[in-house]
């Protein structure tokens, strides 16, 4: 392959599908892998349990990028993810290693693969401070007034995405829902997409087990420690379906059982959105035999080797 088309392996799949385990298994087999995270929550420092980051020991042994670097008060956009990911792909390839993207934030991945509109914009901290003072219902009304199509797609409660859409509009004076410019390239041979697939019933079971494990590991105490560091809501790191119910529990707005159920419900809704995105992508899907991710890693390893050697 030429310098411009060096391969990038992408391990995709819904939340709780086993992407991290598969990526580690592949890294151990290839031995020249660096992992680029495409997870919108794993970027935050101090939050490890709810984000399911790979253990520190693994990250010290296998290089990981775009994990554990951002202050919980800061925001991270698809625009910034794509810019940093493309830079990392070049650097990793120059080191003679295989870049492996791992993640389930499908909007980030779609932006990576297809590019972004010519009017994509970096974050503007001063504008963000103004928008973050506005109540969520008012943000929604403002977006409806300038881009009703985008507002309907985001919904009335997704504060993070409402702010981002308004930010793009105010910085570019273009509607976020406008179509991409014709210059944006479609799929290229640079990306090899591998996905992990489970039955709906098994995935629900894995999600419930993961939520219970989060609480056993101490997600409540993790958020308490964040509060003790001076981080209080509303902050971007806690504005999501995983951490918001924990905050509600700590602030007395719900029971522990309700918090768990809210995380499960939010995760299942998120998985539906993920799969809607993934269905549009040319993914080669693999289903773990009897739930055995070690066997899956071996199967995917041979598939990827054939592709790379044949490419």
């Amino acid at each position: 392959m030429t310098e411009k088309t060096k391969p990038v392996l992408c391990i995709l799949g819904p939340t709780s599908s086993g992407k991290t385990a598969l990526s580690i298994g592949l890294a151990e087999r290839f031995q020249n892998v660096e992992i680029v995270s495409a997870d919108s929550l794993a970027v935050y420092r101090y939050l490890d349990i709810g984000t399911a980051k790979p253990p520190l020991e693994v990250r010290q042994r296998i290089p990981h990028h775009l994990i554990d670097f951002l202050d919980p008060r800061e925001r991270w956009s698809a625009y910034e993810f794509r810019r940093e990911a493309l830079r990392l792909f070049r650097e990793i390839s120059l080191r003679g290693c295989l870049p492996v993207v791992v993640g389930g934030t499908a909007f980030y991945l779609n932006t990576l693969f297809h590019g972004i509109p010519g009017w994509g914009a970096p974050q503007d901290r001063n504008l963000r401070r103004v928008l973050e003072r506005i109540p969520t219902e008012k943000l929604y009304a403002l977006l409806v007034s300038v881009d009703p199509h985008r507002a309907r797609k985001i919904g009335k409660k997704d504060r993070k995405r409402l702010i981002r859409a308004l930010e793009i509009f105010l910085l570019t004076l273009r509607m976020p829902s406008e179509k991409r410019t014709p210059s944006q390239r479609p799929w290229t041979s640079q990306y090899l997409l591998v996905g992990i697939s489970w039955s709906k019933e098994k995935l629900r079971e894995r999600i419930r087990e993961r939520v219970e494990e989060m609480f056993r590991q101490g997600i409540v105490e993790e958020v308490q420690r964040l509060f003790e560091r001076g981080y209080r809501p509303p902050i971007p790191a806690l504005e999501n379906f995983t951490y918001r119910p924990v905050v509600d529990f700590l602030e007395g707005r719900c029971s522990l059982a309700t918090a768990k159920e809210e995380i499960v419900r939010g995760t299942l809704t998120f998985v539906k959105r993920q799969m809607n995105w993934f269905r549009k992508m040319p993914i080669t899907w693999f289903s773990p035999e009897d739930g055995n991710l070690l066997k899956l890693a071996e199967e995917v390893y041979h598939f990827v080797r054939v592709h790379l050697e044949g490419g």
Side-chain angles (χ1 to χ4, degrees), residues 143-144 147-154 177:
L143 188 57
V144 167
D147 191 347
H149 176 72
R150 184 65 179 153
R152 284 194 299 272
K153 287 197 71 173
I154 292 175
S177 64

Short mmCIF file of all heavy atoms in Angstrom, two decimals, residues 143-144 147-154 177:
data_model
loop_
_atom_site.label_atom_id
_atom_site.label_comp_id
_atom_site.label_asym_id
_atom_site.label_seq_id
_atom_site.Cartn_x
_atom_site.Cartn_y
_atom_site.Cartn_z
N LEU A 143 -32.47 25.97 18.78
CA LEU A 143 -32.08 25.15 17.64
C LEU A 143 -33.28 24.92 16.71
O LEU A 143 -33.11 24.91 15.48
CB LEU A 143 -31.50 23.82 18.12
CG LEU A 143 -30.89 22.94 17.03
CD1 LEU A 143 -29.79 23.69 16.28
CD2 LEU A 143 -30.34 21.65 17.62
N VAL A 144 -34.46 24.74 17.27
CA VAL A 144 -35.66 24.60 16.44
C VAL A 144 -35.83 25.82 15.54
O VAL A 144 -36.20 25.69 14.37
CB VAL A 144 -36.91 24.40 17.32
CG1 VAL A 144 -38.19 24.57 16.50
CG2 VAL A 144 -36.90 23.02 17.98
N ASP A 147 -32.68 25.41 12.92
CA ASP A 147 -32.49 24.12 12.23
C ASP A 147 -33.43 23.08 12.83
O ASP A 147 -33.01 22.21 13.60
CB ASP A 147 -31.03 23.68 12.36
CG ASP A 147 -30.69 22.49 11.45
OD1 ASP A 147 -31.63 21.88 10.91
OD2 ASP A 147 -29.49 22.20 11.29
N PRO A 148 -34.71 23.14 12.49
CA PRO A 148 -35.69 22.23 13.11
C PRO A 148 -35.39 20.75 12.84
O PRO A 148 -35.66 19.90 13.68
CB PRO A 148 -37.03 22.65 12.48
CG PRO A 148 -36.66 23.47 11.28
CD PRO A 148 -35.35 24.10 11.58
N HIS A 149 -34.82 20.45 11.67
CA HIS A 149 -34.51 19.05 11.35
C HIS A 149 -33.47 18.50 12.33
O HIS A 149 -33.64 17.40 12.89
CB HIS A 149 -33.98 18.94 9.92
CG HIS A 149 -33.55 17.56 9.54
ND1 HIS A 149 -34.45 16.54 9.31
CD2 HIS A 149 -32.30 17.02 9.39
CE1 HIS A 149 -33.78 15.44 9.01
NE2 HIS A 149 -32.48 15.69 9.06
N ARG A 150 -32.42 19.25 12.56
CA ARG A 150 -31.38 18.81 13.50
C ARG A 150 -31.92 18.74 14.92
O ARG A 150 -31.59 17.82 15.69
CB ARG A 150 -30.19 19.76 13.45
CG ARG A 150 -29.00 19.34 14.31
CD ARG A 150 -28.42 18.05 13.80
NE ARG A 150 -27.27 17.65 14.58
CZ ARG A 150 -26.86 16.40 14.73
NH1 ARG A 150 -27.52 15.44 14.12
NH2 ARG A 150 -25.81 16.12 15.44
N ALA A 151 -32.76 19.69 15.28
CA ALA A 151 -33.34 19.71 16.63
C ALA A 151 -34.17 18.44 16.87
O ALA A 151 -34.07 17.82 17.94
CB ALA A 151 -34.20 20.96 16.81
N ARG A 152 -34.96 18.05 15.89
CA ARG A 152 -35.79 16.84 16.05
C ARG A 152 -34.91 15.60 16.20
O ARG A 152 -35.21 14.70 16.98
CB ARG A 152 -36.73 16.68 14.86
CG ARG A 152 -37.93 17.63 14.87
CD ARG A 152 -38.98 17.18 13.87
NE ARG A 152 -38.46 17.18 12.51
CZ ARG A 152 -38.49 18.24 11.70
NH1 ARG A 152 -39.01 19.38 12.12
NH2 ARG A 152 -38.00 18.16 10.47
N LYS A 153 -33.81 15.54 15.45
CA LYS A 153 -32.93 14.38 15.52
C LYS A 153 -32.23 14.29 16.89
O LYS A 153 -32.05 13.21 17.43
CB LYS A 153 -31.87 14.44 14.41
CG LYS A 153 -32.42 14.16 13.03
CD LYS A 153 -31.31 13.83 12.05
CE LYS A 153 -30.71 12.47 12.33
NZ LYS A 153 -29.76 12.05 11.28
N ILE A 154 -31.86 15.43 17.44
CA ILE A 154 -31.16 15.43 18.73
C ILE A 154 -32.13 15.18 19.88
O ILE A 154 -31.83 14.42 20.81
CB ILE A 154 -30.42 16.77 18.94
CG1 ILE A 154 -29.27 16.89 17.94
CG2 ILE A 154 -29.91 16.90 20.38
CD1 ILE A 154 -28.56 18.22 17.98
N SER A 177 -27.50 20.54 9.95
CA SER A 177 -28.08 19.42 9.19
C SER A 177 -27.84 19.52 7.69
O SER A 177 -28.22 18.62 6.94
CB SER A 177 -29.59 19.34 9.45
OG SER A 177 -30.24 20.49 8.96
#
